[in-house]
Amino acid sequence: MKNNDLLDAKSTHCPCGSSRPYEQCCEPYHLGRAVAEIPERLMRSRYCAFVLRHFRYLIATHHPQYLHGLTEQQLAQGKTQWLGLVVMSSTQQSEYGEVTFKAWFIENKHIDAIYECSSFIKQDGHWFYTHGHQMQTRLPGRNDPCICHSGKKFKQCCAKRTG
Ligand SMILES: [Zn+2]
Ligand SMILES: [Zn+2]
């Protein structure tokens, strides 16, 4: 996706896969004008920050004790082309939460997903990502809804970008 396409897409649907425009969805979190009240909101806004390359936000929402030296510069080296986010489940109990998701991407005409159960903790009124447990996933079926939330079937959408 070219940058202009991304801007057009942002005005109608936020990259996190919600049906709201970016300004009414993840942007307030990225600008520090809103605080994510539940782990799933934080997780979605973090995925969106990966798509839009808001690396500062990713560092700020990653619990410092779990950063292990990760920097904005390291994140900026990633060239991943993200396709879409699918949240499978999310739970929270007072100060601890988990979100299981698939973050789809394309690399060398090959589609794959980060399939992860992420953990979050709440500190001083803010949720932070701590770490994730990654799992194996399979491509959607050709007739399944596309991972990019286009409303088309997978075979008629992102699958065409492979091979
Ligand atoms: Zn969003
Ligand atoms: Zn698609």
Side-chain angles (χ1 to χ4, degrees):
M1 206 186 264
K2 290 190 218 81
N3 266 340
N4 284 344
D5 295 345
L6 198 53
L7 289 176
D8 288 347
K10 264 166 65 180
S11 62
T12 49
H13 288 93
C14 186
C16 78
S18 77
S19 51
R20 285 175 295 161
Y22 173 64
E23 308 88 71
Q24 293 167 29
C25 186
C26 290
E27 188 177 46
Y29 303 109
H30 292 169
L31 296 178
R33 292 183 185 151
V35 172
E37 288 179 348
I38 56 170
E40 182 178 337
R41 262 300 59 244
L42 183 70
M43 191 271 137
R44 286 180 173 277
S45 70
R46 282 177 48 84
Y47 169 82
C48 189
F50 270 109
V51 176
L52 301 176
R53 305 180 68 80
H54 285 313
F55 301 120
R56 181 170 305 179
Y57 182 77
L58 290 167
I59 297 294
T61 55
H62 196 140
H63 194 284
Q65 280 168 14
Y66 292 83
L67 273 173
H68 303 300
L70 184 69
T71 64
E72 282 181 51
Q73 289 71 21
Q74 284 170 12
L75 290 171
Q77 285 164 16
K79 300 264 188 289
T80 307
Q81 200 182 350
W82 299 98
L83 294 175
L85 172 71
V86 180
V87 174
M88 325 288 293
S89 69
S90 56
T91 59
Q92 69 185 93
Q93 285 178 334
S94 60
E95 316 284 278
Y96 178 79
E98 281 182 356
V99 183
T100 302
F101 65 90
K102 294 181 183 178
W104 292 94
F105 61 91
I106 187 164
E107 206 170 79
N108 301 323
K109 296 200 165 192
H110 180 77
I111 292 178
D112 202 354
I114 293 175
Y115 181 21
E116 180 178 305
C117 175
S118 289
S119 296
F120 299 85
I121 54 173
K122 196 177 191 182
Q123 230 172 43
D124 304 325
H126 291 259
W127 284 99
F128 292 91
Y129 171 70
T130 57
H131 62 291
H133 164 73
Q134 296 201 355
M135 298 162 279
Q136 297 286 332
T137 189
R138 289 165 38 186
L139 282 183
R142 294 181 53 75
N143 288 313
D144 287 344
C146 194
I147 50 187
C148 72
H149 308 284
S150 63
K152 296 183 206 163
K153 291 181 179 177
F154 180 56
K155 67 179 177 188
Q156 285 156 356
C157 188
C158 289
K160 286 188 167 177
R161 300 167 63 172
T162 61

